[in-house]
Amino acid sequence: MALLRGATVAEIRRHGKQLAIVAVDGRVLVVQLGMTGQFFFVPRGSAMRPRDHVHARWMVAGRDGDDGVMLFRDPRRFGGLTTLASVGALQRHWATLGPDALTITADALAVGLAGSRRAVKAALLDQRVLAGVGNIYADEALFGARIHPLRPAGGMRADEVRALAEAVRRVLRRAIKAGGSTLNDYRDANGAEGKFSSRHAVYGRAGTPCVACGSLLRRQVVAQRTTVYCPVCQPERPGAGRARPPVFCT
DNA sequence: GGCAGCCTGGTT
DNA sequence: AACCAGGCTGCC
């Protein structure tokens, strides 16, 4: 099945980190970028040459004459393109995902974390619990909520779950506004880098001072992923009594 | 639950 | 040459 060949795009949807291009005839192309997948738009007449690792290309005709070629590149090939026959199939496909992280509520997050003894960071990365958070933003959100990544997921106080849900929404909103986090590969469809990496509070900053308290940030593998946190702001054993307000850096 | 494995490229 | 990386699946 051609990947939407001949289709007119009706709408683009997103849930968590998955993208869906819905055609007027009902076909759906589901896109998972993985770690290095990217869409790249080459305007007609552009001198840009397709680079390596192009796995799909679409000739596109825009409404306002912005024609060109849309490429799907993915050097590491962890991403994927899947076609579905209908929006109903898309809904079933996405039923396996948890609530979307951009709008996660404390109550919905509490449901996902309840009863689990695994590390809260592992739960945040589990797309069935929460859809849309990866390694960078899991660390950033945990820092924002002052929660140690190894705390048992089901052991959060209500105020901590609330702070964590807020931190997830906030860090994602701010990252999106900055165009995302470019470490090496990430670019938007016009080739622009994301500027949020320079504002990471913890990710990629192990061994440097915490922006909130000055303690040296610690690196530790959690849930098989590199994890950076502040051992002082994010205590392994939460202090009994009043919680300090979450700290966000700019 | 943890973990290897899928790939390539950049860094040490 | 070895190690590391933004994600996810499937096997123990």
Side-chain angles (χ1 to χ4, degrees):
Chain A
M1 170 163 175
L3 299 173
L4 258 50
R5 172 178 296 167
T8 297
V9 174
E11 60 170 326
I12 307 223
R13 299 191 189 190
R14 178 197 63 79
H15 190 82
K17 301 186 227 179
Q18 295 192 25
L19 202 61
I21 300 173
V22 181
V24 168
D25 65 13
R27 286 180 292 167
V28 178
L29 176 66
V30 180
V31 182
Q32 179 110 32
L33 295 175
M35 291 204 280
T36 56
Q38 67 169 161
F39 276 109
F40 194 84
F41 184 66
V42 182
R44 184 172 58 179
S46 162
M48 283 185 289
R49 289 283 166 277
R51 292 177 280 173
D52 289 346
H53 309 299
V54 172
H55 304 297
R57 53 169 57 85
W58 299 263
M59 309 283 297
V60 295
R63 213 174 258 150
D64 307 312
D66 45 345
D67 303 353
V69 181
M70 184 69 85
L71 308 174
F72 178 70
R73 278 189 86 229
D74 186 11
R76 215 169 150 184
R77 284 189 264 168
F78 280 9
L81 304 174
T82 314
T83 47
L84 300 173
S86 68
V87 169
L90 176 65
Q91 282 162 350
R92 288 189 292 280
H93 187 69
W94 280 352
T96 57
L97 297 174
D100 186 80
L102 263 182
T103 53
I104 187 68
T105 63
D107 287 348
L109 184 58
V111 169
L113 300 181
S116 169
R117 280 184 294 106
R118 66 175 161 168
V120 63
K121 172 159 180 182
L124 286 182
L125 292 174
D126 185 340
Q127 303 299 300
R128 295 167 302 185
V129 170
L130 178 67
V133 171
N135 198 39
I136 295 174
Y137 301 121
D139 279 10
E140 295 297 315
L142 286 165
F143 175 79
R146 292 179 169 258
I147 292 171
H148 192 289
L150 281 177
R151 295 272 306 283
M156 301 289 127
R157 297 189 310 260
D159 63 293
E160 291 177 314
V161 175
R162 198 178 325 121
L164 187 52
E166 279 172 21
V168 165
R169 295 193 307 264
R170 173 165 177 152
V171 72
L172 291 179
R173 269 201 316 272
R174 294 176 66 240
I176 289 167
K177 201 170 173 185
S181 300
T182 296
L183 303 182
N184 295 305
D185 306 287
Y186 173 74
R187 299 289 186 282
D188 74 12
N190 297 307
E193 298 187 3
K195 300 279 185 256
F196 193 65
S197 356
S198 62
R199 301 204 309 223
H200 290 168
V202 288
Y203 185 86
R205 297 193 61 240
T208 68
C210 170
V211 293
C213 78
S215 309
L216 295 189
L217 299 179
R218 188 169 296 169
R219 175 192 190 277
Q220 186 177 347
V221 174
V222 176
Q224 295 82 239
R225 313 300 300 278
T226 289
T227 299
V228 185
Y229 65 98
C230 173
V232 174
C233 293
Q234 299 164 264
E236 185 140 24
R237 284 226 33 182
R242 77 259 183 281
R244 282 171 298 177
V247 170
F248 302 104
C249 75
T250 49

